[in-house]
Amino acid sequence: MSVNTTEAVQSAFLQQQPIKMLIGGQWVEAASGKAFETIDPSTGEVLARVAEGDSEDINRAVTAARKAFESGPWPKMTPSQRGRLLWKVAELIEQHADELAQLETLDNGKPIKYSKGGDVPLTADHFRYFAGWATKIEGDTIPVSIPNMFTYSLREPLGVVGQIIPWNFPLQMASWKLAPALACGNTVVLKPAEQTPLTALRLGELICEAGFPDGVVNIVPGFGETAGAALAAHPDVDKIAFTGSTEVGKKILQASAGNLKKVTLELGGKSPNIIFSDADMKYAVRGALNAIFFNQGQVCTAGSRLFVHKSVYDQVVSGLTDAASKMKLGQGIDPATELGPVVSQEQLERVTGYIEIGRREGATPTTGGERATGDLAQGYFVRPTVFDQVRDDMTIAREEIFGPVVVAMPFEDIEEVAARANRSIYGLAAGVWTSDIKKAHKMVSLLKAGVIWVNTYNQFDAAAPFGGYKQSGYGREMGHAVLDAYT
Ligand code: NAI
Ligand code: MG
């Protein structure tokens, strides 16, 4: 069954030819007049045409953001007024929840039950959480030891912030970037990923409707090598916040050198998920399934290296294999779907390429290991894949695959598994499954990862700081930790 996408979404927004970009409060076409296509990954068909920003549009957007930062209503607004605007965005997101969830699912491919139940409400939450912070950004009074001296610090916005986001959680990533930057009084130029520009642009309309002054939020869709690179190198941008690949993160850092702009980076991962023999097996197997297959495995924190104690290894791998083989693949827009397509043809090739490398290096899938055929052959569907007999030094155990592919490896003791788990260029997240509280705390202290989940996985909350060790990046988002990154 193939759902007709134009019938699925009755959004006037989608009917624009092309969908425009937001610069200085105006919805405009690209200076070049160019537009690019965004694809429905469940069918390979064109969903919409979108204005294609490049360096000229980035220049216009940065100029508008600078003007809005220096003059006009924004710098004169009180913290309370800024907070109200952010709160209003949260309300508008909730009012348009169904439409946003549908757009997200069509553009990215993810199952509608997750975009409705997760992406959209968490995005609204994020704006609401940072609405509260707008009035609580405080400096210090400092008791210096110099007589007759009163010393204090002020937390001030940085200025014009460039934000570059990926395609795996387009709406949530936009909120993680926009909400704290605006709460702190910055102005923003946001570049959504070329694979998934739609929800960020629709969110831009809601931001305008909420009443943000012109130029405070500018949204320029376009490609990384053109629009993204121009933003990263721009001499009048004070800070770049980036989420994406480690490879591009390094380029962002190099580009920042020109004017020494501040940089925060949320990059890749190859996160270990570790199941001890004393774990509650029903939850651990389900947890391992969710850790890797949620969002088709396209999650920076995906539990892609599954370490299982040797005494329960066969039990866990067969339970996971069984559950994976029963997952319902389908178009995201179908409410019954549990696993949608990966985001693009490029990602499909990358993921199936890694599966081939795994086979060549001697690992064997217990389930999956191929692109879906039949009804789903037109879309970018990869069957959920579990690799058994994997060694730590295999490519599939070291590199980020960013697809529905997990590698399983047995271990014997706690020190050994911690050392193996840490032997990675990444350090974004980890999972530990055990009923022994001492073992849990011991693992938390041994593992080098920005977030460690115990007896759960992939839990995110606006109040809980998030970010990586090592080449998973630096800086923290969410919670009050992110205020350091925008003041
Ligand atoms: P990417 O890092 O190229 O794209 C992320 C964002 O950066 C997009 O908005 C893109 O337009 C922009 N970008 C690309 N090149 C740029 C440049 N030279 N200057 C400035 N901006 C640039 O990621 P891509 O190619 O979409 O995916 C490749 C791999 O990266 C994935 O397979 C996955 O392993 C990893 N990735 C990790 C993410 C995460 O959340 N940590 C998100 C997306 C991808
Ligand atoms: Mg790329």
Side-chain angles (χ1 to χ4, degrees):
M1 179 200 64
S2 177
V3 179
N4 183 317
T5 52
T6 39
E7 277 172 26
V9 170
Q10 300 294 333
S11 172
F13 170 78
L14 263 190
Q15 308 311 316
Q16 300 174 74
Q17 284 291 353
I19 294 172
K20 297 187 180 62
M21 60 180 82
L22 176 60
I23 296 179
Q26 305 296 312
W27 290 92
V28 296
E29 295 210 18
S32 67
K34 284 203 279 189
F36 66 102
E37 292 172 341
T38 186
I39 306 289
D40 175 350
S42 74
T43 60
E45 283 164 18
V46 176
L47 199 52
R49 291 177 62 253
V50 179
E52 182 186 329
D54 62 21
S55 59
E56 183 58 35
D57 305 286
I58 292 291
N59 276 336
R60 289 194 290 164
V62 171
T63 303
R66 175 59 61 193
K67 188 169 165 226
F69 183 73
E70 304 289 352
S71 56
W74 183 244
K76 296 197 197 82
M77 273 190 183
T78 64
S80 169
Q81 287 170 322
R82 285 205 305 271
R84 277 165 193 265
L85 288 176
L86 288 164
W87 191 276
K88 181 78 186 163
V89 173
E91 289 180 337
L92 288 168
I93 289 168
E94 284 168 350
Q95 277 168 33
H96 296 87
D98 285 349
E99 182 197 354
L100 286 166
Q102 286 174 342
L103 284 174
E104 193 79 326
T105 282
L106 290 174
D107 212 12
N108 167 278
K110 66 178 67 198
I112 188 82
K113 71 170 167 186
Y114 295 119
S115 41
K116 239 185 197 153
D119 298 78
V120 172
L122 286 172
T123 300
D125 249 26
H126 215 81
F127 279 98
R128 209 165 259 135
Y129 175 81
F130 283 102
W133 269 113
T135 47
K136 296 164 194 70
I137 298 167
E138 300 171 346
D140 298 312
T141 55
I142 300 154
V144 297
S145 299
I146 310 167
N148 303 318
M149 197 72 70
F150 175 62
T151 304
Y152 62 98
S153 65
L154 293 175
R155 277 201 176 266
E156 296 179 328
L158 296 173
V160 175
V161 176
Q163 306 185 315
I164 301 174
I165 57 172
W167 41 260
N168 52 346
F169 295 92
L171 199 52
Q172 284 195 74
M173 289 301 107
S175 72
W176 286 26
K177 296 287 180 278
L178 292 171
L182 298 170
C184 294
N186 299 282
T187 60
V188 173
V189 178
L190 176 79
K191 194 205 80 67
E194 54 268 40
Q195 296 84 354
T196 56
L198 296 181
T199 46
L201 291 163
R202 184 69 183 97
L203 177 64
E205 292 186 342
L206 299 179
I207 285 169
C208 293
E209 192 179 331
F212 276 87
D214 292 351
V216 172
V217 175
N218 305 275
I219 305 180
V220 181
F223 292 88
E225 296 72 14
T226 50
L231 187 57
H234 202 289
D236 201 30
V237 169
D238 298 298
K239 187 235 159 81
I240 292 278
F242 173 76
T243 299
S245 62
T246 294
E247 183 195 351
V248 173
K250 291 177 185 179
K251 291 186 192 171
I252 300 282
L253 196 57
Q254 278 163 356
S256 74
N259 69 335
L260 291 179
K261 53 174 72 71
K262 312 314 181 244
V263 176
T264 45
L265 302 169
E266 301 286 355
L267 308 176
K270 188 72 180 178
S271 298
N273 192 21
I274 302 166
I275 301 181
F276 286 95
S277 55
D278 57 9
D280 184 326
M281 283 305 146
K282 186 171 137 228
Y283 291 104
V285 171
R286 202 193 291 159
L289 187 83
N290 155 58
I292 185 62
F293 298 126
F294 172 59
N295 214 44
Q296 296 67 246
Q298 302 166 130
V299 186
C300 48
T301 55
S304 53
R305 285 189 293 155
L306 179 64
F307 290 99
V308 188
H309 190 265
K310 65 173 189 199
S311 64
V312 289
Y313 180 82
D314 289 342
Q315 183 191 348
V316 169
V317 171
S318 73
L320 178 63
T321 299
D322 185 52
S325 63
K326 287 182 181 146
M327 285 184 89
K328 176 142 178 25
L329 268 67
Q331 284 184 290
I333 208 76
D334 180 343
T337 293
E338 293 169 339
L339 195 92
V342 298
V343 75
S344 63
Q345 175 74 33
E346 187 187 351
Q347 200 60 18
L348 173 74
E349 285 164 14
R350 189 192 307 265
V351 174
T352 52
Y354 272 115
I355 291 172
E356 281 324 302
I357 291 171
R359 282 206 176 89
R360 231 182 294 136
E361 293 185 353
T364 320
T366 59
T367 185
E370 62 189 5
R371 182 179 184 176
T373 48
D375 283 357
L376 301 177
Q378 295 308 308
Y380 313 133
F381 292 89
V382 180
R383 294 206 176 281
T385 300
V386 180
F387 268 110
D388 198 8
Q389 299 163 33
V390 177
R391 292 190 322 267
D392 295 16
D393 63 351
M394 288 179 177
T395 307
I396 53 171
R398 289 184 292 108
E399 295 186 12
E400 181 174 54
I401 297 175
F402 226 62
V405 181
V406 64
V407 299
M409 293 162 297
F411 71 89
E412 290 193 23
D413 72 64
I414 185 165
E415 308 283 343
E416 170 220 315
V417 74
R420 289 168 65 194
N422 286 337
R423 214 171 290 138
S424 169
I425 63 163
Y426 299 115
L428 194 56
V432 176
W433 299 82
T434 177
S435 338
D436 177 351
I437 189 88
K438 283 199 312 218
K439 208 181 276 173
H441 285 300
K442 171 101 177 159
M443 286 304 287
V444 168
S445 73
L446 289 174
L447 291 169
K448 302 283 175 255
V451 55
I452 300 168
W453 289 292
V454 176
N455 295 330
T456 186
Y457 208 93
N458 275 339
Q459 302 287 344
F460 294 90
D461 187 280
F466 177 77
Y469 280 42
K470 300 190 260 183
Q471 292 190 43
S472 292
Y474 48 71
R476 292 292 177 267
E477 296 191 291
M478 307 210 274
H480 57 79
V482 72
L483 304 175
D484 284 341
Y486 288 110
T487 52

